[in-house]
Amino acid sequence: MSKKLYVGNLTYGVTDSALEALFTPHGTVQSAQVIMDRETGRSKGFGFVEMGNDQEAQNAIKALNGQQSDGRALTVNEAKPREDRGSRSGGGYANRSGGRY
């Protein structure tokens, strides 16, 4: 069964393929995705890698967590399930300037 890893403290220039190449020596990489900001199109500095199985994931964590990549110490650990952030609807009067109707 595949295992998803969180990878943090990436430089803003890292691409999906560069992230995949970083993890390939440690096992089968099923997917690698750098998370991008929707507004700017720039990396948010973290991503997710899905390894082929739990043992490969553990090998990658041991090998890469704390290691330097482009001058930054990587954070690599098991990804936590995504939290439900609830509804994104606004609260009504957020843009009102306070004037009379």
Side-chain angles (χ1 to χ4, degrees):
M1 183 175 177
S2 65
K3 185 68 117 179
K4 197 169 211 176
L5 301 177
Y6 164 84
V7 185
N9 207 25
L10 296 169
T11 60
Y12 295 117
V14 173
T15 63
D16 292 350
S17 58
L19 185 59
E20 181 178 350
L22 186 63
F23 280 78
T24 298
H26 308 288
T28 304
V29 176
Q30 295 189 340
S31 68
Q33 180 182 24
V34 175
I35 304 303
M36 307 300 271
D37 185 283
R38 282 184 232 176
E39 293 179 19
T40 66
R42 193 172 112 170
S43 165
K44 287 190 169 188
F46 70 95
F48 295 95
V49 175
E50 193 170 356
M51 300 298 291
N53 61 49
D54 189 55
Q55 186 60 49
E56 292 174 343
Q58 293 305 318
N59 291 343
I61 291 170
K62 287 178 189 171
L64 296 172
N65 188 42
Q67 292 300 308
Q68 294 288 317
S69 176
D70 293 328
R72 292 178 170 223
L74 296 176
T75 300
V76 182
N77 52 43
E78 289 185 31
K80 295 179 174 71
R82 188 173 182 164
E83 292 180 8
D84 181 16
R85 297 191 299 182
S87 171
R88 287 230 163 208
S89 62
Y93 298 93
N95 293 326
R96 197 164 88 182
S97 63
R100 294 184 183 197
Y101 293 105

Coordinates of all heavy atoms in Angstrom, one line a residue:
M1 N 0.8 -1.2 0.0 CA 0.0 0.0 0.0 C 0.9 1.2 0.0 O 1.9 1.3 0.7 CB -0.9 0.0 1.2 CG -1.9 1.1 1.3 SD -2.9 0.9 2.7 CE -3.9 2.4 2.6
S2 N 0.5 2.2 -0.8 CA 1.3 3.4 -0.9 C 1.2 4.3 0.3 O 0.3 4.2 1.1 CB 0.9 4.2 -2.2 OG -0.4 4.7 -2.0
K3 N 2.2 5.1 0.5 CA 2.3 6.0 1.7 C 2.6 7.4 1.2 O 3.5 7.6 0.5 CB 3.4 5.5 2.6 CG 3.5 6.2 3.9 CD 2.2 6.0 4.8 CE 2.7 5.3 6.0 NZ 1.5 5.0 6.9
K4 N 1.8 8.4 1.7 CA 2.0 9.8 1.3 C 2.8 10.5 2.4 O 2.6 10.4 3.6 CB 0.6 10.5 1.2 CG 0.6 11.8 0.5 CD -0.8 12.2 0.2 CE -0.8 13.0 -1.1 NZ -2.1 13.4 -1.5
L5 N 3.8 11.3 1.8 CA 4.7 12.0 2.7 C 4.5 13.5 2.5 O 4.3 14.0 1.3 CB 6.2 11.7 2.4 CG 6.6 10.2 2.5 CD1 8.0 10.0 2.1 CD2 6.3 9.7 4.0
Y6 N 4.7 14.3 3.5 CA 4.7 15.7 3.5 C 6.2 16.1 3.4 O 7.1 15.6 4.0 CB 4.1 16.3 4.8 CG 4.5 17.8 5.0 CD1 3.7 18.8 4.4 CD2 5.6 18.2 5.8 CE1 4.0 20.1 4.5 CE2 5.9 19.5 5.9 CZ 5.1 20.5 5.3 OH 5.4 21.8 5.5
V7 N 6.5 17.1 2.5 CA 7.8 17.6 2.3 C 7.8 19.1 2.4 O 7.2 19.8 1.6 CB 8.4 17.2 0.9 CG1 9.9 17.7 0.8 CG2 8.3 15.8 0.6
G8 N 8.4 19.6 3.5 CA 8.4 21.1 3.7 C 9.8 21.7 3.6 O 10.8 21.1 3.6
N9 N 9.7 23.0 3.6 CA 10.9 23.9 3.5 C 11.6 23.8 2.2 O 12.8 23.9 2.1 CB 11.9 23.6 4.7 CG 12.7 24.8 5.0 OD1 12.3 26.0 4.8 ND2 13.9 24.6 5.6
L10 N 10.8 23.6 1.1 CA 11.4 23.6 -0.2 C 11.6 25.0 -0.7 O 11.0 25.9 -0.3 CB 10.3 22.9 -1.2 CG 10.0 21.4 -0.9 CD1 8.8 21.0 -1.8 CD2 11.2 20.6 -1.2
T11 N 12.6 25.1 -1.6 CA 12.9 26.4 -2.2 C 11.7 26.7 -3.2 O 11.1 25.7 -3.7 CB 14.2 26.4 -3.0 OG1 14.2 25.5 -4.0 CG2 15.4 26.3 -2.1
Y12 N 11.5 27.9 -3.5 CA 10.3 28.3 -4.4 C 10.5 27.9 -5.8 O 9.6 27.9 -6.6 CB 10.1 29.8 -4.2 CG 9.6 30.2 -2.9 CD1 10.4 31.0 -2.1 CD2 8.4 29.6 -2.3 CE1 9.9 31.4 -0.8 CE2 8.0 29.9 -1.0 CZ 8.8 30.8 -0.3 OH 8.4 31.1 1.0
G13 N 11.7 27.5 -6.2 CA 12.0 27.1 -7.6 C 11.8 25.6 -7.8 O 12.0 25.1 -8.9
V14 N 11.5 24.8 -6.8 CA 11.4 23.3 -6.9 C 10.2 23.0 -7.8 O 9.1 23.5 -7.5 CB 11.4 22.6 -5.6 CG1 11.1 21.1 -5.7 CG2 12.7 22.8 -4.8
T15 N 10.4 22.1 -8.7 CA 9.3 21.6 -9.6 C 8.8 20.2 -9.1 O 9.5 19.5 -8.4 CB 9.7 21.6 -11.0 OG1 10.8 20.6 -11.2 CG2 10.2 22.9 -11.5
D16 N 7.7 19.8 -9.7 CA 7.2 18.4 -9.4 C 8.3 17.4 -9.8 O 8.6 16.4 -9.0 CB 5.9 18.1 -10.2 CG 4.7 18.9 -9.7 OD1 4.8 19.6 -8.6 OD2 3.7 18.9 -10.4
S17 N 8.9 17.5 -11.0 CA 9.9 16.6 -11.4 C 11.2 16.6 -10.6 O 11.8 15.5 -10.3 CB 10.2 16.8 -12.9 OG 10.7 18.1 -13.1
A18 N 11.6 17.8 -10.1 CA 12.7 17.8 -9.2 C 12.4 17.2 -7.9 O 13.3 16.5 -7.3 CB 13.1 19.3 -9.0
L19 N 11.2 17.3 -7.4 CA 10.8 16.7 -6.1 C 10.8 15.2 -6.3 O 11.3 14.4 -5.4 CB 9.4 17.2 -5.7 CG 8.9 16.7 -4.4 CD1 9.8 17.1 -3.2 CD2 7.5 17.3 -4.1
E20 N 10.3 14.7 -7.4 CA 10.3 13.3 -7.7 C 11.7 12.7 -7.8 O 12.0 11.7 -7.2 CB 9.6 13.0 -9.0 CG 9.5 11.5 -9.4 CD 8.7 11.3 -10.7 OE1 8.1 12.2 -11.2 OE2 8.8 10.1 -11.1
A21 N 12.6 13.4 -8.4 CA 14.0 13.0 -8.6 C 14.7 12.9 -7.2 O 15.6 12.1 -7.0 CB 14.8 14.0 -9.5
L22 N 14.3 13.8 -6.3 CA 14.9 13.8 -5.0 C 14.6 12.5 -4.2 O 15.4 12.0 -3.4 CB 14.4 15.0 -4.2 CG 15.0 15.3 -2.8 CD1 16.5 15.6 -2.9 CD2 14.3 16.5 -2.2
F23 N 13.4 12.0 -4.4 CA 12.9 10.8 -3.7 C 13.1 9.5 -4.4 O 13.1 8.4 -3.8 CB 11.4 11.0 -3.4 CG 11.1 11.8 -2.2 CD1 11.2 13.2 -2.3 CD2 10.9 11.3 -1.0 CE1 11.0 14.0 -1.2 CE2 10.7 12.1 0.1 CZ 10.7 13.5 0.0
T24 N 13.3 9.5 -5.7 CA 13.5 8.3 -6.5 C 14.6 7.3 -6.0 O 14.4 6.1 -6.0 CB 13.7 8.6 -8.0 OG1 12.6 9.3 -8.5 CG2 14.0 7.4 -8.8
P25 N 15.8 7.8 -5.5 CA 16.8 6.9 -5.0 C 16.3 6.1 -3.8 O 16.9 5.1 -3.4 CB 17.9 7.8 -4.6 CG 17.7 9.0 -5.4 CD 16.3 9.2 -5.5
H26 N 15.2 6.5 -3.2 CA 14.8 5.8 -1.9 C 13.6 4.9 -2.1 O 13.0 4.3 -1.2 CB 14.4 6.9 -0.9 CG 15.6 7.8 -0.7 ND1 16.8 7.5 -0.1 CD2 15.7 9.1 -1.1 CE1 17.6 8.5 -0.1 NE2 17.0 9.5 -0.8
G27 N 13.1 4.7 -3.4 CA 12.0 3.8 -3.7 C 11.2 4.3 -4.8 O 11.5 5.2 -5.5
T28 N 10.1 3.6 -5.0 CA 9.2 3.9 -6.1 C 8.3 5.1 -5.8 O 7.6 5.1 -4.8 CB 8.2 2.7 -6.4 OG1 9.0 1.6 -6.7 CG2 7.3 3.0 -7.6
V29 N 8.4 6.2 -6.6 CA 7.6 7.4 -6.4 C 6.4 7.3 -7.3 O 6.5 7.2 -8.5 CB 8.4 8.7 -6.8 CG1 7.6 9.9 -6.6 CG2 9.7 8.8 -5.9
Q30 N 5.2 7.2 -6.7 CA 4.0 7.1 -7.4 C 3.5 8.5 -7.9 O 2.9 8.6 -8.9 CB 2.9 6.4 -6.6 CG 3.4 4.9 -6.4 CD 2.3 4.1 -5.8 OE1 1.3 4.6 -5.2 NE2 2.4 2.8 -5.9
S31 N 3.8 9.5 -7.1 CA 3.4 10.9 -7.4 C 4.2 11.8 -6.6 O 4.7 11.5 -5.5 CB 1.9 11.1 -7.2 OG 1.6 11.1 -5.9
A32 N 4.5 13.0 -7.2 CA 5.2 14.1 -6.5 C 4.5 15.4 -6.9 O 4.4 15.7 -8.1 CB 6.7 14.1 -6.8
Q33 N 4.1 16.2 -6.0 CA 3.4 17.4 -6.3 C 3.9 18.6 -5.4 O 3.8 18.4 -4.1 CB 1.9 17.3 -6.2 CG 1.1 18.5 -6.5 CD -0.4 18.3 -6.4 OE1 -0.8 17.5 -5.6 NE2 -1.1 19.2 -7.1
V34 N 4.4 19.6 -6.0 CA 4.7 20.8 -5.2 C 3.4 21.7 -5.2 O 2.7 21.8 -6.2 CB 5.8 21.6 -5.9 CG1 6.1 23.0 -5.2 CG2 7.1 20.8 -6.0
I35 N 3.0 22.1 -4.0 CA 1.8 22.9 -3.9 C 2.0 24.4 -4.3 O 3.0 25.0 -3.8 CB 1.2 22.9 -2.4 CG1 1.0 21.4 -2.0 CG2 -0.1 23.6 -2.3 CD1 0.1 20.6 -2.9
M36 N 1.2 24.8 -5.2 CA 1.3 26.2 -5.8 C 0.3 27.1 -5.3 O -0.9 26.7 -5.0 CB 1.2 26.1 -7.3 CG 2.2 25.1 -8.0 SD 3.9 25.4 -7.6 CE 4.3 26.5 -8.9
D37 N 0.6 28.4 -5.1 CA -0.3 29.4 -4.7 C -1.2 29.7 -5.9 O -0.7 30.0 -7.0 CB 0.4 30.7 -4.3 CG -0.5 31.8 -3.8 OD1 -1.2 32.4 -4.6 OD2 -0.6 31.9 -2.6
R38 N -2.5 29.7 -5.8 CA -3.5 30.0 -6.9 C -3.3 31.4 -7.5 O -3.5 31.6 -8.6 CB -4.9 29.8 -6.4 CG -5.3 28.3 -6.3 CD -6.7 28.3 -5.9 NE -6.9 27.4 -4.7 CZ -8.0 27.2 -4.1 NH1 -9.1 27.7 -4.5 NH2 -8.0 26.4 -3.0
E39 N -3.1 32.3 -6.6 CA -3.1 33.7 -7.1 C -1.8 34.1 -7.8 O -1.8 34.7 -8.8 CB -3.3 34.7 -5.9 CG -4.7 34.6 -5.4 CD -4.9 35.5 -4.2 OE1 -4.2 36.5 -4.0 OE2 -5.9 35.2 -3.4
T40 N -0.6 33.7 -7.2 CA 0.7 34.0 -7.8 C 1.3 33.0 -8.7 O 2.2 33.3 -9.5 CB 1.7 34.3 -6.7 OG1 1.9 33.1 -6.0 CG2 1.2 35.4 -5.7
G41 N 0.8 31.8 -8.6 CA 1.4 30.7 -9.4 C 2.8 30.2 -8.9 O 3.4 29.4 -9.6
R42 N 3.2 30.7 -7.8 CA 4.5 30.4 -7.2 C 4.3 29.3 -6.1 O 3.3 29.2 -5.5 CB 5.0 31.7 -6.5 CG 6.4 31.6 -6.1 CD 6.9 32.9 -5.7 NE 7.2 32.8 -4.2 CZ 7.8 33.8 -3.5 NH1 8.2 34.9 -4.1 NH2 8.1 33.6 -2.3
S43 N 5.4 28.5 -6.0 CA 5.4 27.5 -5.0 C 5.1 28.0 -3.6 O 5.5 29.1 -3.2 CB 6.7 26.8 -5.0 OG 6.9 26.0 -3.8
K44 N 4.4 27.2 -2.8 CA 4.1 27.6 -1.4 C 5.2 27.1 -0.5 O 5.2 27.3 0.7 CB 2.8 27.1 -0.9 CG 1.6 27.8 -1.5 CD 0.3 27.4 -0.8 CE -0.8 28.3 -1.1 NZ -2.0 28.0 -0.3
G45 N 6.2 26.4 -1.0 CA 7.4 25.9 -0.3 C 7.2 24.5 0.4 O 8.0 24.1 1.2
F46 N 6.1 23.8 0.0 CA 5.9 22.5 0.4 C 5.2 21.6 -0.6 O 4.7 22.2 -1.6 CB 5.1 22.4 1.8 CG 3.7 22.8 1.6 CD1 2.7 21.8 1.5 CD2 3.3 24.1 1.7 CE1 1.4 22.1 1.4 CE2 1.9 24.5 1.6 CZ 1.0 23.5 1.4
G47 N 5.3 20.3 -0.4 CA 4.6 19.4 -1.4 C 4.4 18.1 -0.8 O 4.6 17.9 0.4
F48 N 3.9 17.2 -1.6 CA 3.6 15.8 -1.2 C 4.2 14.8 -2.1 O 4.2 15.0 -3.4 CB 2.1 15.6 -1.1 CG 1.4 16.5 0.0 CD1 0.9 17.7 -0.4 CD2 1.4 16.1 1.3 CE1 0.3 18.5 0.6 CE2 0.9 16.9 2.3 CZ 0.3 18.1 1.9
V49 N 4.7 13.7 -1.6 CA 5.2 12.6 -2.4 C 4.6 11.3 -1.9 O 4.5 11.1 -0.7 CB 6.8 12.5 -2.2 CG1 7.3 11.3 -3.0 CG2 7.5 13.8 -2.7
E50 N 4.1 10.6 -2.9 CA 3.5 9.3 -2.6 C 4.5 8.2 -3.0 O 4.9 8.0 -4.1 CB 2.2 9.1 -3.3 CG 1.4 8.0 -2.9 CD 0.0 8.0 -3.5 OE1 -0.4 8.9 -4.2 OE2 -0.8 7.0 -3.2
M51 N 4.9 7.4 -2.0 CA 5.9 6.4 -2.2 C 5.1 5.0 -2.3 O 4.0 4.9 -1.9 CB 6.8 6.3 -1.0 CG 7.7 7.5 -0.7 SD 8.8 8.0 -2.0 CE 10.0 6.6 -2.0
G52 N 5.8 4.1 -3.0 CA 5.2 2.8 -3.3 C 4.7 2.0 -2.1 O 3.6 1.3 -2.2
N53 N 5.4 2.0 -1.0 CA 4.9 1.3 0.2 C 5.5 1.9 1.5 O 6.3 2.9 1.4 CB 5.3 -0.2 0.1 CG 6.8 -0.4 0.0 OD1 7.6 0.1 0.8 ND2 7.3 -1.2 -0.9
D54 N 5.1 1.4 2.6 CA 5.5 2.0 3.9 C 7.0 1.9 4.1 O 7.6 2.9 4.6 CB 4.8 1.3 5.0 CG 5.0 2.0 6.3 OD1 4.7 3.2 6.4 OD2 5.4 1.3 7.3
Q55 N 7.6 0.8 3.7 CA 9.1 0.7 3.9 C 9.9 1.7 3.1 O 10.8 2.3 3.6 CB 9.6 -0.7 3.6 CG 11.0 -1.0 3.9 CD 11.3 -0.8 5.4 OE1 10.6 -1.3 6.2 NE2 12.3 0.0 5.7
E56 N 9.5 1.9 1.9 CA 10.1 2.9 1.0 C 9.9 4.3 1.6 O 10.8 5.2 1.6 CB 9.6 2.9 -0.4 CG 10.0 1.6 -1.1 CD 9.4 1.5 -2.5 OE1 8.4 2.1 -2.8 OE2 9.9 0.7 -3.3
A57 N 8.7 4.6 2.2 CA 8.4 5.9 2.8 C 9.3 6.1 4.0 O 9.9 7.2 4.2 CB 6.9 5.9 3.2
Q58 N 9.4 5.1 4.8 CA 10.3 5.2 6.0 C 11.8 5.4 5.6 O 12.5 6.2 6.3 CB 10.2 3.9 6.9 CG 8.8 3.8 7.5 CD 8.4 5.0 8.3 OE1 9.1 5.6 9.1 NE2 7.1 5.4 8.2
N59 N 12.2 4.7 4.6 CA 13.6 4.9 4.1 C 13.8 6.4 3.6 O 14.8 7.0 3.9 CB 13.9 4.0 2.9 CG 14.0 2.5 3.4 OD1 14.1 2.2 4.5 ND2 13.9 1.6 2.4
A60 N 12.8 6.9 2.9 CA 12.9 8.3 2.4 C 12.9 9.3 3.6 O 13.7 10.2 3.6 CB 11.8 8.6 1.5
I61 N 12.1 9.0 4.6 CA 12.1 9.9 5.8 C 13.4 9.9 6.5 O 14.0 11.0 6.8 CB 10.9 9.5 6.7 CG1 9.6 9.8 6.1 CG2 11.1 10.2 8.1 CD1 8.4 9.2 6.9
K62 N 14.0 8.7 6.7 CA 15.3 8.6 7.4 C 16.4 9.3 6.6 O 17.3 10.0 7.1 CB 15.6 7.2 7.6 CG 14.8 6.5 8.7 CD 15.2 5.0 8.8 CE 14.2 4.4 9.8 NZ 14.4 2.9 9.8
A63 N 16.3 9.1 5.3 CA 17.4 9.7 4.4 C 17.3 11.2 4.2 O 18.3 11.9 4.1 CB 17.4 9.0 3.1
L64 N 16.1 11.7 4.1 CA 15.9 13.1 3.7 C 15.5 14.1 4.7 O 15.7 15.3 4.6 CB 14.9 13.2 2.5 CG 15.4 12.4 1.2 CD1 14.3 12.3 0.2 CD2 16.6 13.1 0.7
N65 N 14.9 13.7 5.8 CA 14.4 14.6 6.8 C 15.7 15.3 7.5 O 16.6 14.6 8.0 CB 13.6 13.9 7.9 CG 13.0 14.9 8.9 OD1 12.5 15.9 8.5 ND2 13.0 14.6 10.2
G66 N 15.7 16.6 7.4 CA 16.8 17.4 8.0 C 18.0 17.6 7.0 O 18.9 18.4 7.3
Q67 N 17.9 16.9 5.8 CA 19.0 17.1 4.8 C 18.9 18.4 4.1 O 17.8 18.9 3.9 CB 19.0 15.9 3.8 CG 19.3 14.6 4.4 CD 20.7 14.6 5.0 OE1 21.7 14.9 4.4 NE2 20.8 14.1 6.3
Q68 N 20.0 18.9 3.7 CA 20.1 20.2 3.0 C 19.7 20.0 1.5 O 20.2 19.1 0.9 CB 21.5 20.8 3.1 CG 21.9 21.2 4.5 CD 21.1 22.4 4.9 OE1 21.0 23.4 4.2 NE2 20.7 22.4 6.2
S69 N 18.8 20.9 1.0 CA 18.5 20.9 -0.4 C 18.4 22.4 -0.8 O 17.6 23.1 -0.3 CB 17.1 20.2 -0.6 OG 16.8 20.3 -2.0
D70 N 19.4 22.8 -1.6 CA 19.5 24.2 -2.1 C 19.6 25.1 -0.9 O 19.0 26.2 -0.8 CB 18.3 24.6 -3.0 CG 18.3 23.9 -4.3 OD1 19.4 23.6 -4.8 OD2 17.2 23.6 -4.8
G71 N 20.4 24.7 0.2 CA 20.6 25.5 1.3 C 19.5 25.5 2.4 O 19.6 26.3 3.3
R72 N 18.5 24.7 2.2 CA 17.4 24.6 3.2 C 17.4 23.1 3.8 O 17.5 22.2 3.0 CB 16.1 24.9 2.6 CG 16.0 26.3 2.2 CD 14.6 26.5 1.5 NE 14.4 27.9 1.3 CZ 13.2 28.5 1.5 NH1 12.2 27.8 1.9 NH2 13.0 29.8 1.3
A73 N 17.1 23.0 5.1 CA 16.9 21.7 5.7 C 15.5 21.3 5.5 O 14.5 21.9 5.9 CB 17.2 21.9 7.2
L74 N 15.4 20.2 4.8 CA 14.0 19.6 4.4 C 13.3 19.1 5.7 O 14.0 18.5 6.6 CB 14.2 18.5 3.4 CG 14.7 18.9 2.0 CD1 14.8 17.6 1.2 CD2 13.8 19.9 1.4
T75 N 12.0 19.2 5.7 CA 11.2 18.5 6.6 C 10.4 17.4 5.9 O 9.7 17.7 4.9 CB 10.2 19.5 7.3 OG1 10.9 20.5 7.9 CG2 9.3 18.8 8.2
V76 N 10.6 16.2 6.3 CA 10.0 15.1 5.6 C 9.3 14.2 6.7 O 10.0 13.7 7.6 CB 10.9 14.2 4.7 CG1 10.2 13.1 4.0 CG2 11.7 15.1 3.7
N77 N 8.0 14.0 6.6 CA 7.3 13.1 7.5 C 6.0 12.6 6.9 O 5.7 13.0 5.8 CB 7.0 13.8 8.8 CG 6.3 15.1 8.7 OD1 5.4 15.3 7.9 ND2 6.8 16.1 9.5
E78 N 5.4 11.7 7.6 CA 4.1 11.2 7.0 C 3.1 12.3 7.0 O 2.9 13.0 7.9 CB 3.6 10.0 7.9 CG 4.4 8.8 7.8 CD 3.9 7.6 8.6 OE1 2.6 7.5 8.7 OE2 4.7 6.8 9.1
A79 N 2.4 12.3 5.8 CA 1.3 13.3 5.7 C 0.2 13.0 6.6 O -0.2 11.8 6.7 CB 0.9 13.4 4.2
K80 N -0.4 14.0 7.2 CA -1.6 13.8 8.0 C -2.8 14.0 7.1 O -2.8 14.7 6.1 CB -1.6 14.9 9.1 CG -0.5 14.7 10.1 CD -0.5 15.8 11.1 CE 0.5 15.6 12.2 NZ 1.8 15.9 11.8
P81 N -3.9 13.3 7.5 CA -5.2 13.5 6.7 C -5.6 15.0 6.6 O -5.4 15.7 7.6 CB -6.2 12.7 7.4 CG -5.4 11.8 8.3 CD -4.1 12.4 8.6
R82 N -6.1 15.4 5.5 CA -6.5 16.8 5.3 C -7.7 17.1 6.2 O -8.7 16.3 6.3 CB -6.9 17.0 3.9 CG -7.2 18.4 3.5 CD -7.4 18.5 2.1 NE -7.6 19.9 1.7 CZ -7.6 20.4 0.5 NH1 -7.3 19.6 -0.5 NH2 -7.8 21.7 0.3
E83 N -7.6 18.2 6.9 CA -8.7 18.7 7.8 C -9.8 19.3 7.0 O -9.5 20.0 6.0 CB -8.2 19.7 8.8 CG -7.2 19.1 9.8 CD -6.7 20.2 10.8 OE1 -7.3 21.3 10.8 OE2 -5.8 19.9 11.5
D84 N -11.0 19.1 7.5 CA -12.2 19.8 6.9 C -12.2 21.2 7.4 O -12.3 21.4 8.6 CB -13.5 19.1 7.3 CG -14.7 19.7 6.6 OD1 -14.5 20.5 5.7 OD2 -15.8 19.4 7.1
R85 N -12.0 22.1 6.4 CA -11.9 23.5 6.8 C -13.3 24.2 6.8 O -13.4 25.4 7.0 CB -10.9 24.3 5.9 CG -9.5 23.7 6.1 CD -8.5 24.6 5.5 NE -8.7 24.7 4.0 CZ -7.9 25.3 3.2 NH1 -6.9 25.9 3.7 NH2 -8.2 25.4 1.9
G86 N -14.3 23.5 6.5 CA -15.7 24.0 6.6 C -16.0 24.9 5.4 O -15.2 24.9 4.4
S87 N -17.1 25.5 5.5 CA -17.6 26.4 4.4 C -16.7 27.6 4.2 O -16.2 28.2 5.2 CB -19.0 26.8 4.7 OG -19.4 27.8 3.8
R88 N -16.6 28.1 3.0 CA -15.8 29.3 2.7 C -16.7 30.5 2.4 O -16.2 31.5 1.9 CB -14.9 29.0 1.5 CG -13.8 28.1 1.9 CD -12.6 28.8 1.4 NE -11.4 28.2 2.0 CZ -10.3 28.9 2.1 NH1 -10.3 30.1 1.7 NH2 -9.2 28.4 2.6
S89 N -18.0 30.4 2.8 CA -18.9 31.5 2.5 C -18.6 32.7 3.4 O -18.2 32.5 4.6 CB -20.3 31.1 2.6 OG -20.6 30.7 3.9
G90 N -18.8 33.9 3.0 CA -18.5 35.1 3.7 C -19.5 35.4 4.8 O -20.5 34.8 4.9
G91 N -19.2 36.3 5.6 CA -20.0 36.6 6.8 C -20.9 37.9 6.6 O -21.2 38.6 7.5
G92 N -21.3 38.2 5.4 CA -22.2 39.2 5.2 C -21.7 40.6 4.9 O -21.6 41.0 3.8
Y93 N -21.3 41.3 5.9 CA -21.0 42.7 5.8 C -19.5 43.1 5.8 O -19.1 44.2 6.2 CB -21.7 43.5 6.9 CG -23.2 43.4 6.8 CD1 -23.8 42.4 7.6 CD2 -23.9 44.2 6.0 CE1 -25.2 42.3 7.5 CE2 -25.3 44.1 5.9 CZ -25.9 43.1 6.7 OH -27.3 43.0 6.6
A94 N -18.7 42.2 5.4 CA -17.2 42.4 5.5 C -16.7 43.5 4.7 O -15.8 44.2 5.0 CB -16.5 41.1 5.0
N95 N -17.4 43.9 3.6 CA -16.9 45.0 2.7 C -17.6 46.3 2.9 O -17.4 47.2 2.1 CB -16.9 44.5 1.2 CG -16.0 43.4 1.0 OD1 -14.9 43.3 1.5 ND2 -16.4 42.5 0.1
R96 N -18.5 46.4 3.8 CA -19.3 47.6 4.0 C -18.4 48.7 4.6 O -17.7 48.5 5.5 CB -20.5 47.3 4.8 CG -21.5 48.4 4.7 CD -22.8 47.9 5.3 NE -22.8 48.2 6.7 CZ -23.8 47.9 7.5 NH1 -24.9 47.2 7.0 NH2 -23.8 48.2 8.7
S97 N -18.5 49.9 4.1 CA -17.7 51.0 4.6 C -18.2 51.7 5.8 O -17.6 52.6 6.3 CB -17.4 52.0 3.4 OG -18.7 52.5 3.1
G98 N -19.4 51.4 6.2 CA -20.0 52.0 7.4 C -20.9 53.2 7.1 O -21.5 53.8 8.0
G99 N -21.1 53.5 5.8 CA -22.1 54.6 5.5 C -23.5 54.2 5.6 O -23.8 53.0 5.8
R100 N -24.4 55.1 5.5 CA -25.8 54.8 5.5 C -26.3 54.3 4.2 O -25.8 54.6 3.2 CB -26.6 56.1 5.9 CG -26.2 56.5 7.3 CD -27.1 57.7 7.7 NE -26.7 58.2 9.0 CZ -27.4 58.9 9.7 NH1 -28.5 59.4 9.3 NH2 -27.0 59.3 10.9
Y101 N -27.5 53.6 4.3 CA -28.1 53.1 3.1 C -28.8 54.1 2.3 O -29.6 54.9 2.7 CB -29.0 51.9 3.4 CG -28.3 50.7 3.9 CD1 -28.4 50.4 5.3 CD2 -27.6 49.9 3.1 CE1 -27.7 49.3 5.8 CE2 -26.9 48.8 3.6 CZ -27.0 48.5 4.9 OH -26.3 47.4 5.4

